[in-house]
Amino acid sequence: MAHGDPARAAALLLLDRWEENPVPVDELLAELDASLSDGRDQRFARQLVLGTLRWRLRLDWIIGHFCRRPVDELEARVLTILRLGILQVGFMDRVPERAAVHTSVELAKRHGARSASGLINAILRAFIRQPKRVRYPDPNGETARHLSLYHSHPQWLVERWLERLGREKTLRLVEANNLPAPVWLRPNPLRSTSAALCGELELEQGPGGYLRALEPRAVFRSPTYADGHFQIQDPSAGMAVDLLDPQPGERVLDACSAPGGKATQIAEKMDDCGVVVAADRSLQRLQRLRENTQRLHLHCIRPMTWDACTVGSPHFDRILVDAPCSGTGILGRHPDARWTKGIDQLPALVARQSKMLAAAFTHLRPGGVLVYSTCSLEREENEDVVEALLNETPTARIEEAREYLRNDERAARYAQALPGQHPGDGAFAARIRKVTT
């Protein structure tokens, strides 16, 4: 199998590792690419890994309809092989059913689960014969449970979204999260234009000047990428910098900067004139920022190691606090995160976000502007953090996003991008000015 079917074997081993130690799957995918020499194998293995993680809850629900034992009592590797098999049979049109069954049985035989090969064969064949045997909770009587199982999202999240967003927006949100995440390009206006890039790469126009890559792998191999003509960035990620509206010659702090997407966007909006202090606690992540800065030929960015919770004196005209968060707005791009987040994590995140925001505000000059942003959809991490600062800080005043993001349906008092409602990922941003009392 290692020689005859390297993609499936690599996907199985990676998923096994993730189940044992659920680190961000992006870290493991780089190793996956390195272990497979053939580009088609790399792409197929990635599809298997991300698809299995994305549909994990629904896959287990399906398996449960055809397995006499409770799913959670199955050996971990057997369950992973079954998930891979069900994924190929039920969710991947280009994989013949017979091939999905045969390769799953062979995976079991060659990777320590020979005794379960008969069970795997029987379950997959039963699903092929009787797919309609799978029943889901009533979408009207058990809306949250239905959306959770059918669209493979944690029920606690679905329940929160239903309460705040309503059924229609929640449905569109979970549907959007299960679509392949597109690769978006932000042209570097100091080196190129959208029209020029579209002439060289397979792209389509997106919102706000962003471009969607139709052939993502070609984008990264392009000389225009190496020469800094664009940065990879989701449209919703750029919303915070648009709201910040940095000007040439200013002194700007990006308080949680690495890997540098927003810092480089700030520098470009400033015509590379002024100072952008790009701060982050992680020296390793700052190295990625330096690489992006050099590639984009930007000179006004000053990387530095710094804890965003540090209180200081007012030195900056504008500050961006893109706070670490639960990431519930980017579950489409990071499907593994659905299964590693919990509601119990929110209080600690909120405490740190609040501390970061309050500390950053001390570095802002009177009259200056601070933008607080996250890639979370949760009110506790967004509106509540901002309102707490406004209530506790007499010099903090909200400036409504709709006044600065004109004709942008994402903007009201705050700016909020919602998957399924707007192009791109989910994100939140608030604009705060320091006034004199």
Side-chain angles (χ1 to χ4, degrees), residues 197-215:
L197 289 173
C198 287
E200 297 186 35
L201 297 165
E202 292 189 55
L203 307 169
E204 66 179 18
Q205 290 286 347
Y210 284 80
L211 302 168
R212 180 174 177 170
L214 302 179
E215 290 291 339

Side-chain angles (χ1 to χ4, degrees), residues 113-190:
R114 177 177 289 273
S115 63
S117 59
L119 173 70
I120 291 167
N121 180 70
I123 289 175
L124 294 180
R125 291 189 182 280
F127 178 49
I128 291 169
R129 287 195 309 270
Q130 297 177 287
K132 293 183 179 179
R133 192 165 134 193
V134 181
R135 294 284 186 268
Y136 295 92
D138 178 15
N140 296 314
E142 297 182 90
T143 303
R145 191 159 178 256
H146 173 86
L147 291 175
S148 170
L149 288 167
Y150 191 82
H151 296 282
S152 195
H153 280 68
Q155 188 166 330
W156 70 271
L157 260 182
V158 173
E159 289 172 349
R160 290 170 62 86
W161 293 341
L162 282 169
E163 183 178 353
R164 195 172 81 256
L165 303 173
R167 181 170 178 167
E168 181 58 33
K169 286 185 177 180
T170 300
L171 174 60
R172 290 164 67 179
L173 170 56
V174 294
E175 287 178 338
N177 282 347
N178 285 330
L179 297 174
V183 172
W184 294 94
L185 280 60
R186 185 195 78 226
N188 179 354
L190 306 182

Side-chain angles (χ1 to χ4, degrees), residues 266-287:
I266 290 169
E268 291 166 10
K269 282 185 173 290
M270 293 167 59
D271 294 331
D272 202 21
C273 178
V275 175
V276 179
V277 176
D280 201 275
R281 288 196 304 173
S282 169
L283 193 60
Q284 182 179 1
R285 283 167 54 82
L286 278 175
Q287 181 55 36

Side-chain angles (χ1 to χ4, degrees), residues 25 78 87 92 96 114 156 163 172 180 199 210 225 240 272 294 308 313-314 316 323 327 333 368 384 390 397 423:
V25 74
V78 173
L87 177 78
M92 300 178 73
R114 177 177 289 273
W156 70 271
E163 183 178 353
R172 290 164 67 179
Y210 284 80
Y225 175 74
D272 202 21
Q294 292 168 4
S313 54
F316 296 96
R333 196 169 297 280
D384 290 356
L390 297 175
R397 294 283 188 278

Side-chain angles (χ1 to χ4, degrees), residues 62-134:
I62 293 170
I63 293 166
H65 280 72
F66 300 97
C67 185
R68 293 179 180 177
R69 294 167 56 190
V71 171
D72 58 6
E73 291 183 7
L74 292 171
E75 184 184 342
R77 175 158 290 182
V78 173
L79 181 54
T80 300
I81 293 172
L82 279 169
R83 287 170 177 162
L84 285 165
I86 295 290
L87 177 78
Q88 293 168 77
V89 169
F91 296 81
M92 300 178 73
D93 294 338
R94 295 186 179 182
V95 179
E97 292 175 346
R98 289 180 61 187
V101 175
H102 173 73
T103 53
S104 298
V105 170
E106 288 299 305
L107 275 179
K109 290 179 178 177
R110 293 174 181 265
H111 291 276
R114 177 177 289 273
S115 63
S117 59
L119 173 70
I120 291 167
N121 180 70
I123 289 175
L124 294 180
R125 291 189 182 280
F127 178 49
I128 291 169
R129 287 195 309 270
Q130 297 177 287
K132 293 183 179 179
R133 192 165 134 193
V134 181

Side-chain angles (χ1 to χ4, degrees), residues 7-16 18 25-26 28-29 32 42-56 59 84 87 92 335-336:
R8 288 182 175 90
L12 170 64
L13 297 177
L14 187 152
L15 287 165
D16 275 351
W18 185 86
V25 74
D26 287 351
L28 302 178
L29 287 173
L32 182 80
Q42 291 175 355
R43 290 190 291 276
F44 185 46
R46 277 177 165 261
Q47 282 183 305
L48 291 172
V49 168
L50 294 174
T52 300
L53 290 170
R54 181 175 291 118
W55 293 107
R56 186 172 181 262
L59 294 172
L84 285 165
L87 177 78
M92 300 178 73
D336 55 304

